[in-house]
DNA sequence: TGATAAACGAGACGGTACGTCGTGTCTTCTG
DNA sequence: CAGAAGACACGACGTACCGTCTCGTTTATCA
């Protein structure tokens, strides 16, 4: 039942880990644009084929590396009120600024490659939308925001502003932004 | 006096135009990711060197092509009230959805290449922010929105939502979005 | 034991042969000066990298092609007397006049590139000197030429005249030259 | 009468000299293989067109530079006897060893380019043959060498050995070679 | 225990585009 | 009208990665 044991030599978990680690290391040292499959393989001490066997692109490798990082996990706060929940959520999100190079690279890849875009949305972007939706739905249930409120638009505003500033870097992603954004959303949705 | 006539053979305007046209044609036929300098040169009937002499990357060529297209010009409506101005502005912006592949490609390049990012911001993104700021400042002057309103945040919300939906394509960029966004911003800024 | 099996995919002998053949074909059709690595790769149906992996220059490829041609093999006659040996040797050498374009090209490359010059001397020019030296040493042993004769100078004379006429083409490389040169050398070395 | 004054601005002798000097300087600093028309023009402070107007190739420029050098002039000794004449001639020739890089480069160009080869022979190589022929004809007239001697072959031997050693550098071009070659030729031609 | 089967490292392969270099021609202004 | 300046079309250069392939080797399961 649990079976599914495939024939032949099983996938090497050590190699898998080495590849993910190598990808992150290359990313840190050289940046996303300079990432190459050759380079990852060389650093991981594995053959290129092994990478191609399990991932479809370098972005795929990076996405998996990213998702394995503990700090990328989504926090779902429950502070009792929307403003507090939102602030906690935004603070947790802002705290991941260190991932910028990686996230920016993945977004670039998503823009250039529709297949990867689908995967990036499914495994990353939409998961975060889902988390935020939980907070907002809770607020609707509590009556903190009006029943007819377009929750999807609120989500778009939060992530739209976040990504827009994340990409352009013309203004900071800090607590002050969190407070102003929270205040604005609540005022707009009462 | 105004002179500034440089020495030597002057830059060929015909070649410049051929290159920009070739870039747009390649873009339409094959998409941004498949653009190559070789391909542009071949189609334009010019040497690669000539492209490298005047532009620093393929994104640079594409950006200039794009800026020369009349339809990329920024509309600055003046309808007399903020809601009308905003709707007109958003409608004009949404009308450029056909440029999506190009704009997405340029954004991808900006994410991968900081030098190009700076240029893209200066020549494209910030020009649009400036236009929107004019509308909002006008509304502040007219008392339509509160004096202390964080105009920059409003701009970030508009363009944040626009780009976020533009990139993810999880929801349409249409008049209904325009109306809801306008309503929300006005409610939040009174 | 003799093993030495290298790791990884072994070198493709088919590709090696295709490259050498393509080089000779290009040489015949277009001449040495018009040879290009691009052209050889195109005709051989291989990537340029494959050529660069195994040879350091186009001259290197051509030299190897040449050395594989059966007709480039050195004949070592043993007719019993120096005049007969020399005539046989010269006839065999003159018979390779068809290789002129190739040899001239290789010599040109040797003049321009010291690294290739060393290789050309080692693998081609000195091998021929060695063969001729065998003939002359034999003649010394038989007493046909004086014991103190400067054999190296005789070799220089033979190959000097040959190459000089080969290059300048101001006089033929034919049997009459062979006879006169033989006679002169013998008269001078008695 | 002497006229032949062409119309328009006359050729600039200063520029001509600058180009020839620049060619020699580049030759000395970088070697023949690295010579470029661009480089010569840059160093001479002239336009490339000016070079193309008056010379047909870089080899052409170099040949003219070489021929203008005083030390390249042919010495025609008249010592009274063939051995002395020959030795003097060879000594004078050997004394030009410093020109090796230039001469080797010109010879390489001659091998690659038949048009230049013709010019090189006419203006350089055959002039030297002519000079040597004068010496040898004088010796025939004096009865130092037999009347039926193949003078052309003797010339080929002298220049063949010289160029062969000059190119291969496997043995020196020195007085000892001069003496041995002289002795050999005289013994062979009595 | 040995056959079978897949994963793995290594690295060669056919390709494509890169960005640079040099060529020989052209187009402008200056002397 | 020669000459400097330098832009131009062209085409080869040698390199970097791509994604695939072909080896020998390793590590499992199954008969």
């Amino acid at each position: 039942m649990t079976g599914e044991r495939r024939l032949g030599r099983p996938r090497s978990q050590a190699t898998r880990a080495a590849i993910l680690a190598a990808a992150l290391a290359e990313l840190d040292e050289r940046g996303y644009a300079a990432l190459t499959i050759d380079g990852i393989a060389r650093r991981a001490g594995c053959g290129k084929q092994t990478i191609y066997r399990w991932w479809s692109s370098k972005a795929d490798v990076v996405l998996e590396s990213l998702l394995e990082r503990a700090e990328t996990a989504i926090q779902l706060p429950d502070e009792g009120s929307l403003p507090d929940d939102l602030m906690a959520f935004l603070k947790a999100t802002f705290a991941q600024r260190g991932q910028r190079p990686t996230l920016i690279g993945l977004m670039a890849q998503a823009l250039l490659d529709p297949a990867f875009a689908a995967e990036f949305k499914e495994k990353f972007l939409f998961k975060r939308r889902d988390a935020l939706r939980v907070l907002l739905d809770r607020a609707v249930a509590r009556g903190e925001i009006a029943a007819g409120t377009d929750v999807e638009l609120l989500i778009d505003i939060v992530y739209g502003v976040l990504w827009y500033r994340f990409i352009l870097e013309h203004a900071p992603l800090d607590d002050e932004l969190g407070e102003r954004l929270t205040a604005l959303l609540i005022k707009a949705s009462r």
Side-chain angles (χ1 to χ4, degrees), chain A residues 2-71:
Chain A
T2 55
E4 285 292 331
R5 285 314 263 105
R6 308 261 310 300
L7 220 53
R9 180 176 176 176
R11 176 172 186 186
S12 160
Q13 290 306 314
T15 296
R16 175 177 175 278
I19 289 168
L20 295 179
L24 289 177
E26 290 281 307
L27 204 65
D28 288 347
E29 290 180 18
R30 295 199 234 288
Y32 185 88
L35 261 195
T36 64
I37 298 282
D38 273 311
I40 296 171
R42 211 176 306 126
R43 184 188 278 252
C46 73
K48 288 198 291 173
Q49 193 65 254
T50 303
I51 299 180
Y52 285 114
R53 196 168 359 244
W54 305 108
W55 293 278
S56 62
S57 68
K58 68 176 191 176
D60 224 38
V61 179
V62 174
L63 178 55
E64 188 164 333
S65 311
L66 186 71
L67 294 177
E68 290 231 330
R69 280 222 259 235
E71 65 260 43

Side-chain angles (χ1 to χ4, degrees), chain A residues 43-153:
Chain A
R43 184 188 278 252
C46 73
K48 288 198 291 173
Q49 193 65 254
T50 303
I51 299 180
Y52 285 114
R53 196 168 359 244
W54 305 108
W55 293 278
S56 62
S57 68
K58 68 176 191 176
D60 224 38
V61 179
V62 174
L63 178 55
E64 188 164 333
S65 311
L66 186 71
L67 294 177
E68 290 231 330
R69 280 222 259 235
E71 65 260 43
T72 313
I74 306 173
Q75 306 288 348
L76 232 184
D78 192 354
E79 307 283 331
S81 80
L82 180 57
D84 292 345
D85 276 359
L86 256 182
M87 267 309 292
F89 187 82
L90 291 174
K91 272 182 188 245
T93 302
F94 294 166
Q96 295 170 22
R97 268 167 307 198
Q99 314 267 24
R100 184 175 187 273
T102 306
L103 284 170
I104 287 293
L106 290 175
M107 183 57 93
Q109 192 63 32
L111 295 180
L112 294 171
D113 172 1
F116 177 72
E119 200 181 341
F120 187 45
K121 282 191 271 190
E122 178 201 332
K123 296 190 182 162
F124 189 90
L125 299 174
F126 287 172
K127 297 287 187 204
R128 275 137 191 85
R129 290 183 69 84
D130 292 345
L132 184 52
R133 192 177 297 109
V134 168
L135 297 193
L136 293 170
D137 285 348
R138 216 146 57 188
V140 171
R142 281 194 297 244
E144 288 181 283
I145 57 181
T149 303
D150 184 344
V151 170
E152 294 305 309
L153 179 57

